[in-house]
Amino acid sequence: RTASVPPCARLATTFVESKIIVSAATTASPCSTPRSVVSSECSTESSGLCPTLKNLLARPSVGATTIMVRNIPNKYSQRLLLKAWRDMGFDKCIDLFYLPMDFRKRANLGYCFANFTTEEEAMRFCRQVSGYQLPLFNSKKVLATGVAHVQGFEANFRNFCNTPKMSGNVAPEFQPLIFDPYTGAEVPFPAEARRFRTPKAGGRCQ
């Protein structure tokens, strides 16, 4: 079904400037405790799909679950920002996370994407994060959230597989992160991620 978008506004595109409606910050109870372990059933050397990743891809996307966050202080790394979200109570709620980086400057580009297990968790994240200032690096930037153009785990996974960021030339620290929503364990991207990209009509890949 068509994804509903309150209280965030749908972004016109994923990777360019777009409108964002800021939601009022509220408090919320945590959904779980932080985890950092890598899923034991998924090998980093595997070129196929492990059971956890297969289940994630098979899960239907219902509602607006992928959120874009803007105005992130540029010194935050992907892992550091993820820890901030987890410290705020969002651990098993997130199954895919990506913070684009400037490889040369080793600084983030000021925005990130997170896919949540449910629309309810995504909207709770919007309410809690919008208007928030991250505590490190003495930044005065105020976070803003919006509903991303590309929605759902499968669509984002295949979208990432279509991009050069999943090539062997890009360090893993700059690549998207996948998590088992039941355990919070990290699930490595397939070694040959581009095998799973989405073909365009006529057989050409995006």
Side-chain angles (χ1 to χ4, degrees):
R1 67 181 177 86
T2 303
S4 58
V5 298
C8 304
R10 179 171 296 281
L11 299 180
T13 184
T14 307
F15 294 107
V16 299
E17 291 292 326
S18 39
K19 292 183 179 179
I20 297 173
I21 294 180
V22 177
S23 312
T26 62
T27 58
S29 59
C31 53
S32 66
T33 55
R35 302 290 185 97
S36 59
V37 66
V38 175
S39 176
S40 59
E41 67 177 10
C42 297
S43 168
T44 55
E45 301 301 324
S46 174
S47 60
L49 296 177
C50 69
T52 299
L53 191 47
K54 286 181 180 178
N55 290 336
L56 285 168
L57 290 169
R59 189 183 64 202
S61 178
V62 179
T65 60
T66 308
I67 301 301
M68 181 181 186
V69 183
R70 301 293 296 271
N71 300 332
I72 297 167
N74 300 96
K75 291 184 179 180
Y76 269 82
S77 67
Q78 186 160 240
R79 299 281 180 180
L80 193 59
L81 184 59
L82 179 64
K83 183 181 184 301
W85 300 154
R86 288 180 163 178
D87 288 345
M88 294 175 71
F90 299 96
D91 178 21
K92 295 178 186 177
C93 313
I94 298 174
D95 54 29
L96 189 147
F97 179 72
Y98 179 54
L99 175 67
M101 301 287 290
D102 182 317
F103 301 152
R104 292 187 178 87
K105 296 180 179 179
R106 301 186 73 84
N108 75 67
L109 300 183
Y111 61 94
C112 76
F113 299 94
N115 187 69
F116 292 81
T117 53
T118 66
E119 184 176 42
E120 290 73 22
E121 289 293 355
M123 296 302 105
R124 181 170 76 86
F125 178 82
C126 281
R127 292 191 298 270
Q128 189 166 341
V129 170
S130 293
Y132 180 72
Q133 288 180 278
L134 289 165
L136 300 182
F137 308 116
N138 297 317
S139 174
K140 295 183 179 180
K141 290 184 176 181
V142 177
L143 300 180
T145 61
V147 176
H149 176 66
V150 179
Q151 281 294 313
F153 179 89
E154 180 181 8
N156 278 281
F157 172 81
R158 298 190 183 281
N159 184 61
F160 287 135
C161 289
N162 285 334
T163 63
K165 67 176 65 69
M166 297 313 302
S167 71
N169 297 324
V170 178
E173 63 186 288
F174 298 133
Q175 295 180 345
L177 301 174
I178 298 175
F179 300 95
D180 184 331
Y182 298 103
T183 66
E186 186 173 341
V187 179
F189 256 84
E192 298 178 18
R194 292 184 67 84
R195 290 177 51 203
F196 307 103
R197 55 189 178 180
T198 304
K200 288 182 177 180
R204 297 185 61 187
C205 292
Q206 297 176 348

